[in-house]
Amino acid sequence: MGEVILGFPGPWADDNLEASDHYTTKVGGLPDLPFQNVNPTLLDCSQCGNKLCLVLQIYAPVSIERTRIDERLLLVFGCLTPECGSSSLGWRVLRVQKAHDQEFSEVSQEIGPLTTSTSAPTTNWWEQLDDENDEEVDLEELERAFSEVATEVSHAKRTPSKLHSKTVSNSSNLSSARVVDVKTPVVPCFYIYMEDKPSSKDISICNNYASLSIKENLSDAEEEKWSEEGYEYDQALTADRTYLKFKKKLDASPEQCFRHSYGGKPILARAEDGEAGKCKACGGSRQFEMQLMPPLLYFLQEAADESQKQLLETWNWMTLLVHTCSESCSKSSEKSDDGNWIITEESVFVQFEKPLNGSPKVGFFTPQHELNLTKT
């Protein structure tokens, strides 16, 4: 627990309605659930009643003591209504997972065959290498066997690029069969690849390189203006230690769309992180699992059409904090039709920068002229 995984932008979907599977991690589009029907009220805004749009889908298996839950995903939904996007009530998080309580060893045995290729060699070459056998080994055949094993391991890892290629190749057939509610808004869709948080040494190198890359492309006048704007920005946000720590973590990986750390600690934009509450299904405690970061908004706005851009501007938060059941329980009353999957609503809290003197809420992408107004 506590390991930090960062989500970075991958390729854009060919179609925002493109379908894949529940192992896919992506921003926008439509949710890819392992079952057909969902209680429609779970996809409604709790404040205005309008349909929510998918913001993030993340495949998030977890291990708790001796239990491993591999079939598990989180879905973050947001409301595009201006009054709702700036409120925690306009956001919902659903945890979807397979309903089972199996021991780690049993689950490992169950999923083991899924990670092996059907074309894997059945011959164990090491068993054939008898010390008393002086026969000459066919090196070409041995090399071919090792090559097959290496290929098997490579496929088992399922890198994001390979997983995405598989998804896209099947998307045309899946999209044609997908039924879409015309009332459901859809924001631009792009896929996510995940990496472990870089070390402090890597962060230092990345920051220096990024700084040089930016300044190399600026004239003297532009560089001076850029520096002044950066100073004004920090001053306008009345940066305190909490915010500066947040900004430092963000600057270390400036394209991170989310941070996942099951049972870890969030990085806060403000000292107040809200109340996570108790799990609605089992009554147990919740713990931090994930937070959405400002670059996610930037990439969405880059691909949105003009009408969507205006709506997405209301999503002007610094971070969204997601807390989930500490036991990742399977006691929800909401289940798939076959009873094999459970759906549980979890906690989400929206953080804006603290307003000054009663000024409007300030977010990471608040225009400069609005920031200047907060200083008057």
Side-chain angles (χ1 to χ4, degrees):
M1 290 188 182
E3 179 187 12
V4 179
I5 304 294
L6 304 182
F8 294 98
W12 289 97
D14 294 331
D15 185 335
N16 289 336
L17 303 182
E18 190 170 278
S20 52
D21 56 38
H22 64 282
Y23 299 108
T24 303
T25 296
K26 66 179 185 178
V27 169
L30 293 172
D32 299 301
L33 296 171
F35 47 86
Q36 292 294 325
N37 299 319
V38 181
N39 182 349
T41 61
L42 292 175
L43 306 180
D44 293 340
C45 176
S46 58
Q47 182 159 286
C48 71
N50 289 338
K51 288 294 179 184
L52 300 171
C53 64
L54 177 68
V55 180
L56 175 66
Q57 170 181 306
I58 173 174
Y59 172 58
V62 296
S63 294
I64 305 172
E65 295 180 350
R66 289 180 56 81
T67 302
R68 179 170 175 82
I69 306 172
D70 283 277
E71 302 291 326
R72 182 179 184 273
L73 64 153
L74 299 178
L75 302 166
V76 181
F77 295 90
C79 183
L80 287 172
T81 304
E83 295 77 15
C84 301
S86 58
S87 166
S88 292
L89 295 175
W91 298 84
R92 300 185 90 159
V93 175
L94 301 182
R95 171 170 55 89
V96 178
Q97 71 182 51
K98 210 152 196 182
H100 61 72
D101 294 307
Q102 292 175 296
E103 291 297 312
F104 179 86
S105 58
E106 295 174 0
V107 176
S108 297
Q109 292 173 4
E110 179 183 344
I111 67 172
L114 299 179
T115 62
T116 59
S117 170
T118 55
S119 60
T122 56
T123 305
N124 189 334
W125 285 96
W126 295 109
E127 292 179 357
Q128 291 187 359
L129 294 178
D130 191 344
D131 292 337
E132 297 179 359
N133 188 352
D134 294 331
E135 288 186 6
E136 187 175 330
V137 178
D138 188 337
L139 295 180
E140 290 185 3
E141 191 172 353
L142 181 61
E143 182 180 357
R144 184 167 58 254
F146 279 129
S147 177
E148 290 177 0
V149 173
T151 301
E152 172 196 347
V153 173
S154 176
H155 287 316
K157 289 182 178 179
R158 296 210 309 173
T159 60
S161 59
K162 292 179 180 177
L163 180 59
H164 178 253
S165 298
K166 176 184 175 183
T167 299
V168 172
S169 64
N170 296 330
S171 63
S172 56
N173 296 332
L174 292 170
S175 296
S176 60
R178 172 170 275 193
V179 178
V180 181
D181 186 342
V182 294
K183 295 181 180 179
T184 301
V186 179
V187 297
C189 178
F190 61 90
Y191 295 91
I192 292 287
Y193 72 93
M194 293 182 283
E195 291 184 354
D196 292 341
K197 184 185 72 171
S199 65
S200 300
K201 181 178 180 181
D202 294 335
I203 289 172
S204 177
I205 293 174
C206 290
N207 282 343
N208 292 336
Y209 177 78
S211 178
L212 288 172
S213 299
I214 292 172
K215 293 183 179 180
E216 283 175 357
N217 296 323
L218 295 177
S219 65
D220 292 341
E222 289 174 329
E223 183 176 338
E224 182 178 353
K225 182 180 179 182
W226 177 74
S227 300
E228 289 175 355
E229 287 182 353
Y231 173 78
E232 289 181 359
Y233 178 74
D234 285 345
Q235 291 295 317
L237 290 178
T238 61
D240 57 14
R241 291 178 63 87
T242 302
Y243 169 72
L244 288 175
K245 182 178 179 181
F246 176 85
K247 189 171 185 298
K248 181 179 179 181
K249 294 287 188 181
L250 182 58
D251 289 345
S253 301
E255 290 190 342
Q256 59 182 292
C257 293
F258 66 80
R259 301 171 67 90
H260 184 273
S261 181
Y262 185 74
K265 293 183 179 180
I267 53 170
L268 304 177
R270 296 179 59 179
E272 304 85 3
D273 61 348
E275 178 58 46
K278 299 291 185 180
C279 174
K280 293 183 178 180
C282 70
S285 62
R286 285 191 175 120
Q287 64 184 10
F288 172 75
E289 178 163 354
M290 177 180 69
Q291 65 186 113
L292 276 58
M293 301 296 283
L296 183 149
L297 297 177
Y298 170 79
F299 293 117
L300 280 180
Q301 291 175 1
E302 282 290 294
D305 57 34
E306 289 303 318
S307 60
Q308 276 191 330
K309 279 185 178 180
Q310 295 181 359
L311 296 174
L312 288 173
E313 285 178 358
T314 64
W315 292 1
N316 205 8
W317 35 260
M318 299 293 291
T319 186
L320 291 181
L321 305 173
V322 174
H323 292 76
T324 60
C325 177
S326 59
E327 298 297 325
S328 198
C329 72
S330 297
K331 297 183 179 180
S332 176
S333 58
E334 295 287 346
K335 295 185 178 181
S336 59
D337 291 340
D338 58 10
N340 291 333
W341 296 83
I342 62 99
I343 308 105
T344 303
E345 184 171 5
E346 298 288 11
S347 167
V348 60
F349 182 74
V350 186
Q351 280 201 328
F352 296 89
E353 180 62 23
K354 187 176 181 179
L356 294 176
N357 302 324
S359 60
K361 292 177 179 176
V362 179
F364 198 81
F365 296 104
T366 301
Q368 184 66 45
H369 70 276
E370 293 185 21
L371 293 177
N372 291 336
L373 290 175
T374 66
K375 296 191 291 183
T376 58

